């Protein structure tokens, strides 16, 4: 992967179509490693390349509705590139079009987009950079339709934003999962156990697929391929009969049996884009595998550990390039678009052309074939 290919705009030879003076940036949705690198990149490029004023909006769209924002200088973003989380804060409960408000001790949802638009205007901002996943980007899309000059930057460990092959945070989560799998393999082998490792990713299997490939999983379960439990038992027994001391199963949190449902952990109060939280399929799998194969099985849910820690180098580079790409495209007069990565180069997609929903793993993805060549199975139901 060459991150430097296709970087279309040279900031020093730009013909600026619109005189921008002041921009704002927010991070929305679940956090991930690399968000601070995006914030740093946008801030530095805006100031160094164009002399713009930059403001940070706190806690995603909540800050734009509530008016919580502050200026960002080079000093503010100095040294944050390697830090996980987001210095601006974030939330996945601030849909400005269905904004949660407490009324007489009860939670109600109101359209607060007019307040966000008013504060944007009063702040004399010329553009808004929205760093987010499918939820945040869908709000950016609606605001763009209402005339707000926005540019979106895709981030999420799930790697499931339509229109881009990569999102900031994905590589770091894969790295964390891979390290965890390496550790779990040694304890599984010592005890002749099956280890079921559950990774996040919601309804897309990218994280399970990539960490299964990098971590050497024997059974990979992704939401896109509903599974047949019997095929998992067969694989476990077959490995054991050949003398293998362990079997590693990577289960995406959204994976499910063909004749069964997804496992949900809890309801997320106030999150109208994704009200249900997946989680727990690995416990159900481990219990059934042990019962039906007689081989001791354990479940490990990696959960929010995947969202923490320092971004790996691939995310730092992607985040920094996405940030610069966003400011350069704004300077060129582009708005209402998302920057992205496709077919080996940096791209920009008009928000109005962006498909809704999530980007799923296609059944003919190369990693699926490669995993099969390695002897792994997906246990998909016929
Ligand atoms: O979308 C990112 C993600 O980490 C998903 O993989 C996961 O299902 C969800 O967010 C968890 O959300 P929360 O942090 O609200 O529990």
């Amino acid at each position: 992967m060459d991150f430097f290919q296709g970087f279309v705009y040279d900031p020093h030879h730009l013909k600026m179509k619109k005189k921008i003076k002041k921009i704002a940036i927010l991070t929305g949705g679940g956090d991930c490693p690399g968000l601070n690198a995006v914030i740093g990149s946008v801030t530095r490029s805006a100031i160094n390349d164009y002399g713009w004023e930059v403001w940070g909006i706190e806690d995603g769209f909540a800050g734009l509705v509530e008016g919580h924002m502050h200026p960002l200088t080079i000093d503010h973003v100095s040294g944050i590139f390697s830090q996980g989380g987001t210095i601006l804060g974030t939330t996945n409960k601030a849909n400005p079009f269905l904004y949660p408000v407490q009324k007489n001790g009860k939670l109600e949802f109101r359209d607060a987009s007019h307040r966000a638009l008013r504060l944007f205007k009063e702040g004399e901002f010329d553009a808004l950079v929205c760093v987010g996943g499918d939820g945040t980007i869908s709000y950016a899309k609606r605001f763009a339709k209402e005339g707000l000059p926005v540019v979106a930057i895709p981030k999420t460990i799930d790697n499931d934003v339509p229109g881009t092959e990569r999102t900031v945070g994905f590589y770091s989560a894969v790295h964390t999962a891979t390290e965890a799998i390496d550790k779990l393999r040694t304890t599984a082998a010592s005890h002749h156990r099956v280890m079921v490792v559950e990774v996040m990713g919601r309804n897309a299997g990218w994280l399970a697929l990539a960490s299964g490939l990098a971590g050497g999983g024997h059974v990979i379960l992704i939401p896109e391929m509903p599974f047949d439990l019997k095929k998992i038992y067969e694989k476990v027994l077959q490995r054991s009969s050949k003398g293998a001391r362990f079997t590693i199963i990577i289960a995406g949190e959204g994976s499910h049996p063909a004749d069964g449902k997804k496992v949900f952990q809890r309801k997320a109060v106030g999150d109208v884009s994704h009200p249900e939280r997946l989680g727990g399929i690995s416990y159900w799998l481990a219990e059934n595998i042990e019962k039906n194969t007689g081989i001791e099985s354990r479940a490990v849910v990696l959960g929010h550990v995947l969202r923490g820690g320092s971004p790996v180098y691939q995310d730092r580079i992607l985040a920094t390039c996405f940030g610069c790409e966003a400011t350069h495209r704004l300077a060129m007069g582009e708005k209402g678009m998302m920057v992205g990565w496709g077919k080996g180069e940096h791209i920009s997609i008009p928000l109005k052309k962006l498909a809704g929903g999530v980007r799923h793993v296609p059944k003919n993805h190369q990693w699926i074939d490669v995993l099969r060549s390695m002897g792994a199975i997906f246990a998909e139901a016929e």
Side-chain angles (χ1 to χ4, degrees):
M1 177 168 179
D2 180 359
F3 288 102
F4 302 99
Q5 211 180 306
F7 205 61
V8 272
Y9 298 120
D10 175 352
H12 306 292
H13 297 95
L14 284 172
K15 280 203 200 93
M16 285 162 62
K17 288 197 183 133
K18 180 184 185 302
K19 194 94 189 103
I20 290 176
K21 290 201 182 87
K22 189 176 176 186
I23 65 166
I25 176 167
L26 63 81
T27 52
D31 74 335
C32 65
L35 286 175
N36 282 326
V38 178
I39 297 166
S41 168
V42 168
T43 306
R44 281 177 192 270
S45 170
I47 294 170
N48 293 339
D49 292 330
Y50 305 109
W52 298 341
E53 197 180 328
V54 184
W55 280 56
I57 294 175
E58 294 158 28
D59 300 325
F61 277 105
L64 194 56
V65 172
E66 311 285 351
H68 298 157
M69 48 189 91
H70 58 264
L72 282 177
T73 63
I74 300 279
D75 279 350
H76 286 117
V77 298
S78 174
I80 66 167
F81 270 73
S82 57
Q83 282 172 23
T86 160
I87 59 162
L88 294 177
T90 186
T91 175
N92 45 21
K93 297 175 187 66
N95 176 348
F97 300 92
L98 272 179
Y99 194 72
V101 278
Q102 286 288 344
K103 189 97 195 290
N104 305 325
K106 262 185 70 188
L107 190 64
E108 289 183 4
F109 296 91
R110 306 240 174 101
D111 184 358
S113 59
H114 50 281
R115 254 167 74 185
L117 284 167
R118 181 168 50 79
L119 286 175
F120 182 85
K121 221 170 147 200
E122 282 173 12
E124 298 184 332
F125 295 113
D126 299 305
L128 175 65
V129 180
C130 297
V131 191
D134 58 325
T136 305
I137 291 174
S138 71
Y139 313 146
K141 195 170 165 179
R142 280 186 72 174
F143 275 124
K145 214 169 153 197
E146 297 192 15
L148 202 83
V150 276
V151 48
I153 300 182
K155 69 83 219 172
T156 165
I157 62 164
D158 305 342
N159 198 40
D160 63 353
V161 175
T164 180
E165 288 168 24
R166 287 293 169 269
T167 55
V168 172
F170 174 62
Y171 287 108
S172 306
V174 174
H175 179 78
T176 302
T178 306
E179 283 197 326
I181 296 164
D182 287 349
K183 289 181 175 145
L184 292 166
R185 189 182 303 109
T186 57
T187 171
S190 306
H191 289 264
H192 297 267
R193 280 177 177 161
V194 171
M195 200 58 84
V196 186
V197 188
E198 180 174 324
V199 297
M200 284 186 163
R202 250 193 254 271
N203 297 309
W206 294 105
L207 203 42
L209 186 66
S211 41
L213 181 51
H218 306 110
V219 181
I220 318 295
L221 306 174
I222 61 174
E224 290 84 352
M225 293 185 180
F227 59 81
D228 177 349
L229 265 177
K230 285 201 197 84
K231 291 189 177 173
I232 303 176
Y233 305 153
E234 273 163 27
K235 178 75 173 176
V236 167
L237 289 169
Q238 184 201 63
R239 280 182 53 76
S240 173
S241 70
K242 285 189 179 155
R245 296 175 61 89
F246 63 97
T247 296
I248 301 289
I249 300 179
I250 312 298
E253 62 180 358
S255 61
H256 60 96
D259 55 359
K261 291 195 175 118
K262 296 186 181 189
V263 178
F264 292 96
Q265 200 186 28
R266 64 202 296 263
K267 283 244 177 229
V269 180
D271 183 354
V272 284
S273 310
H274 301 286
E276 282 163 328
R277 288 291 177 275
L278 289 156
I281 184 72
S282 55
Y283 292 106
W284 181 83
L285 280 163
E287 198 186 313
N288 277 290
I289 293 167
E290 185 167 309
K291 209 161 54 190
N292 288 279
T293 63
I295 299 173
E296 204 178 10
S297 305
R298 289 286 188 273
V300 175
V301 180
L302 296 182
H304 289 84
V305 171
L306 298 169
R307 297 228 305 247
S310 270
V312 294
Y313 83 90
Q314 293 95 332
D315 271 330
R316 297 182 197 197
I317 294 174
L318 192 67
T320 310
C321 290
F322 273 177
C324 284
E325 189 79 10
T327 55
H328 298 341
R329 287 189 186 264
L330 277 174
M332 286 291 291
E334 274 189 55
K335 57 184 180 182
M337 44 80 191
M338 180 185 85
V339 300
W341 178 262
K343 297 200 170 76
E345 57 181 33
H346 286 280
I347 51 173
S348 130
I349 311 102
L351 285 170
K352 59 174 181 247
K353 287 204 178 149
L354 210 60
V358 298
R359 191 177 70 95
H360 286 288
V361 175
K363 297 240 165 65
N364 61 354
H365 195 277
Q366 192 202 9
W367 291 349
I368 294 178
D369 293 338
V370 171
L371 270 156
R372 285 196 172 119
S373 300
M374 296 300 106
I377 64 157
F378 290 84
E380 69 270 38
E382 306 292 322

